[in-house]
Amino acid sequence: MKNIVINNYSYNGFFDHYFSSQDEWLHSPEQPLLDYVKLNLPNYINTIIILGCAGGRDFIPFQDEYNCIGFDLAPPQLINWVCKTDNLTYYQCNIEDYLNKFNHDDIDLSSCLIYTQGTLMYISYEDQGKLINHLINKNCKNIVIHEYPPECLINEQGHNGNNPNANFNPSPEVLNLFERKHFRPTVERQPTGFLYLNK
């Protein structure tokens, strides 16, 4: 595995369990969403990029057929990987630094799928829109966002604890680029699949 450190981050200890993969559910990919995505990927895709990859559970459906690239906050030595790592490149890099400090010429996004799950809720709505517009401007044609939808109230205050941006809520122009599909049996207060797939 190749590791590249863009920045070292101080982050809330709440996230440690995602990197240590101690919980059993962190050993299994998000299904049936990723089964659907894999079936609908164009054949020119050769790389899967996960922003907020944690221990790599969502690489599992792709690990034998695609190059895998992950971005997250934890130092590489603290991550207990649950996926194969022989074709994995890991960047210690948050989304803001991905937008501002990452050398985007290193990766041809035209042949990549970009995937996030429960990650964009931790950046501002403005940066959510900037990220999607950036990816599309870099010729990415396949983006899957699995996040809480704009209308979802996580709790009575309308947000998730101390996180006021607890859903995917960029501008309407960005939201309207995506097809919405629900993949979990319960729809209320659950993430939604926002799909931008070039079939």
Side-chain angles (χ1 to χ4, degrees):
M1 179 173 67
K2 185 176 180 182
N3 296 311
I4 300 154
V5 176
I6 303 296
N7 209 341
N8 287 301
Y9 302 99
S10 297
Y11 54 87
N12 189 313
F14 165 81
F15 294 103
D16 287 341
H17 73 284
Y18 291 109
F19 302 124
S20 66
S21 304
Q22 291 177 355
D23 299 334
E24 190 59 36
W25 67 272
L26 290 168
H27 291 241
S28 301
E30 181 68 39
Q31 292 172 313
L33 167 66
L34 291 177
D35 294 331
Y36 176 87
V37 170
K38 191 171 180 186
L39 282 172
N40 288 281
L41 275 184
N43 58 13
Y44 60 80
I45 296 297
N46 59 27
T47 302
I48 307 300
I49 298 175
I50 299 181
L51 303 175
C53 63
R57 73 185 187 107
D58 288 325
F59 284 125
I60 293 171
F62 306 101
Q63 64 190 2
D64 293 323
E65 301 169 54
Y66 299 88
N67 295 318
C68 297
I69 300 174
F71 289 80
D72 218 322
L73 301 175
Q77 66 274 15
L78 296 184
I79 299 176
N80 179 28
W81 296 101
V82 297
C83 61
K84 294 179 180 177
T85 58
D86 52 338
N87 66 341
L88 174 65
T89 300
Y90 174 69
Y91 290 88
Q92 186 182 355
C93 180
N94 69 13
I95 290 175
E96 293 86 353
D97 284 340
Y98 174 81
L99 284 168
N100 298 309
K101 296 183 179 179
F102 183 72
N103 180 2
H104 299 285
D105 295 332
D106 289 350
I107 302 171
D108 176 9
L109 294 184
S110 68
S111 59
C112 297
L113 165 72
I114 302 282
Y115 175 73
T116 76
Q117 174 166 266
T119 301
L120 299 190
M121 63 163 59
Y122 295 103
I123 65 173
S124 71
Y125 297 146
E126 181 185 21
D127 281 347
Q128 290 174 1
K130 281 182 185 175
L131 175 67
I132 301 305
N133 285 323
H134 167 81
L135 296 174
I136 291 170
N137 289 336
K138 289 290 184 181
N139 208 23
C140 184
K141 301 178 187 74
N142 295 276
I143 304 168
V144 175
I145 309 294
H146 197 226
E147 304 275 346
Y148 294 102
E151 64 276 7
C152 181
L153 299 181
I154 310 303
N155 62 24
E156 296 76 25
Q157 290 77 40
H159 57 80
N160 186 359
N162 295 323
N163 179 16
N165 299 320
N167 46 24
F168 182 53
N169 195 21
S171 68
E173 293 78 19
V174 171
L175 270 176
N176 290 335
L177 295 172
F178 292 88
E179 173 190 7
R180 290 193 195 195
K181 287 181 80 69
H182 296 285
F183 291 91
R184 293 187 177 177
T186 303
V187 173
E188 187 178 356
R189 297 191 182 189
Q190 290 295 315
T192 295
F194 293 86
L195 309 173
Y196 179 84
L197 295 174
N198 183 11
K199 299 176 183 176

